[in-house]
Amino acid sequence: MSLKYDLILKGGLLIDPSQNINENLDIAFKNGKVASIKKSISAIKSEKTISVNKLIVTPGLIDMHTHVYWGGTSLGIDAEEFCRKSAVTTAVDTGSTGPGNFYGFRRHVIEKSAVKILAFLHISHAGIYAFSERVMVGESENLKMLDPISATEIIEANKDIIVGIKVRVGKNTSGNNGILPLEYALQVSEKTNLPIMVHIDEAPPEYGEVLKYMRKGDILTHCFRPSPNSPLGSNGEILPEVLDARERGVFFDVGHGMGSFCFDVTKTMIKKRFYPDTISSDIHKLCINGPAHDLLTTLSKFLNLGMPLYKVIESATKNASVALNR
């Protein structure tokens, strides 16, 4: 008798928001693809059966904010090592490279990786080029580094991998230039028809000011960053600009990182039922050993702060794919 399946996972809590599945089901695979999802699938039909009782079974997780140009940038970590430990099947690199060094990233890391890697191309010519324990330079401080013409050309030639444009604004990254680098990124976005992902740190510019420039499909990362430049006003209420931005379709991404996530802010936002659209690790060399660690740790923080499990999984599967237009 020929076996119908290669593998059956039995008895797990299957959560797949893209199919509105949230129950204990068996799932069978054939030739690397899902072949059947049922309440019970007979083990005699499969070459191998694994009990996953009391475990959660999900689609491969998407980490919407990573830095995985290992060896090419000082903040880059090894994508394959990280993803295997974190149930991540797609790592989205957010601006490690710009138009001046993207092809090195593509040839030496992306094309050789067993993990799917997508990228937001930085508006800065060299990407995030000076981010380490000893050297920290905000690439958006120098307007001469911003390269919208070359960025447009590189994006148009690499749309199989590049999913958007990254820009970093804030006191630590754009200095006295404030919002101006964001305007450069918007120029590229309009020409390439791709979204922007905006990093925000300390003011200036203010949180609400940044959101006023953002459109449907754009992504604000570090969305639950600490006060004073947070989504909460001095009265403890959600800023009206935040509510307006969500209403018009701006995505809010966590981007945990090493100092861009605040438990107190997150507690308040979750209590007010304002959940992030996507939960991501912002994993890089300076936070992989803490406080971020990996995507699963980041997801678990939101679960323990009261965000429903289904919504947590949705943030790193369905919502991420929607934000990436994939």
Side-chain angles (χ1 to χ4, degrees):
M1 180 183 72
S2 60
L3 297 175
K4 192 173 182 179
Y5 306 118
D6 301 321
L7 171 67
I8 296 174
L9 302 179
K10 290 190 70 67
L13 175 58
L14 182 59
I15 303 178
D16 182 359
S18 72
Q19 301 185 77
N20 296 314
I21 296 174
N22 185 21
E23 60 180 307
N24 287 89
L25 295 168
D26 293 352
I27 180 168
F29 299 85
K30 182 70 175 179
N31 298 325
K33 294 181 180 291
V34 174
S36 181
I37 300 174
K38 294 181 180 178
K39 196 70 178 176
S40 180
I41 303 174
S42 174
I44 65 172
K45 295 181 178 181
S46 179
E47 180 179 335
K48 186 177 183 180
T49 299
I50 300 174
S51 173
V52 290
N53 185 39
K54 297 184 179 179
L55 298 179
I56 299 169
V57 181
T58 77
L61 301 181
I62 303 166
D63 196 335
M64 272 288 294
H65 192 146
T66 70
H67 293 282
V68 292
Y69 189 11
W70 183 89
T73 60
S74 57
L75 77 164
I77 56 99
D78 185 282
E80 292 188 22
E81 181 180 353
F82 166 73
C83 290
R84 285 193 185 99
K85 294 177 179 179
S86 198
V88 171
T89 54
T90 300
V92 184
D93 186 277
T94 55
S96 296
T97 63
N101 54 355
F102 172 76
Y103 279 115
F105 183 34
R106 174 164 190 148
R107 175 174 292 185
H108 300 301
V109 176
I110 296 174
E111 292 179 354
K112 295 180 179 180
S113 177
V115 174
K116 179 180 286 186
I117 299 174
L118 301 173
F120 281 82
L121 187 76
H122 208 302
I123 189 65
S124 171
H125 186 77
I128 303 174
Y129 61 88
F131 189 105
S132 72
E133 292 177 343
R134 298 185 181 92
V135 177
M136 194 68 72
V137 177
E139 69 283 348
S140 297
E141 290 184 49
N142 187 350
L143 294 181
K144 291 181 180 179
M145 294 292 294
L146 306 187
D147 192 357
I149 296 175
S150 297
T152 301
E153 293 172 349
I154 294 294
I155 289 169
E156 292 294 355
N158 294 275
K159 279 194 170 179
D160 57 326
I161 291 172
I162 298 176
V163 293
I165 302 95
K166 176 71 179 291
V167 61
R168 299 206 301 162
V169 295
K171 179 181 177 182
N172 299 320
T173 49
S174 59
N176 295 327
N177 294 324
I179 210 79
L180 191 56
L182 173 53
E183 295 179 346
Y184 278 83
L186 285 168
Q187 293 174 22
V188 179
S189 173
E190 290 170 1
K191 291 179 180 178
T192 59
N193 197 32
L194 289 178
I196 56 172
M197 176 183 276
V198 184
H199 155 114
I200 184 172
D201 55 71
E202 296 178 28
E206 298 287 344
Y207 196 110
E209 181 186 1
V210 172
L211 284 175
K212 289 178 181 179
Y213 284 80
M214 300 182 71
R215 311 144 307 166
K216 180 179 180 180
D218 290 337
I219 303 158
L220 181 74
T221 193
H222 312 315
C223 66
F224 288 173
R225 59 162 280 101
S227 295
N229 205 22
S230 85
L232 299 172
S234 57
N235 60 357
E237 297 298 321
I238 299 174
L239 295 172
E241 293 92 343
V242 171
L243 300 176
D244 290 345
R246 169 151 286 180
E247 182 67 25
R248 67 176 181 270
V250 173
F251 290 101
F252 288 82
D253 173 65
V254 169
H256 187 297
M258 65 178 182
S260 301
F261 171 80
C262 177
F263 273 103
D264 289 338
V265 169
T266 302
K267 285 178 185 178
T268 301
M269 298 299 283
I270 289 177
K271 186 177 181 180
K272 294 178 181 294
R273 299 185 66 80
F274 190 104
Y275 302 135
D277 295 294
T278 54
I279 298 174
S280 61
S281 67
D282 184 18
I283 202 70
H284 54 71
K285 191 173 182 180
L286 301 189
C287 70
I288 194 167
N289 294 318
H293 294 289
D294 55 36
L295 181 58
L296 291 177
T297 302
T298 307
L299 295 174
S300 296
K301 290 178 182 180
F302 280 80
L303 182 64
N304 282 281
L305 287 169
M307 187 169 170
L309 175 60
Y310 185 87
K311 301 294 290 184
V312 170
I313 299 300
E314 185 178 46
S315 75
T317 54
K318 179 184 177 181
N319 287 1
S321 68
V322 170
L324 295 168
N325 197 27
R326 294 282 173 131

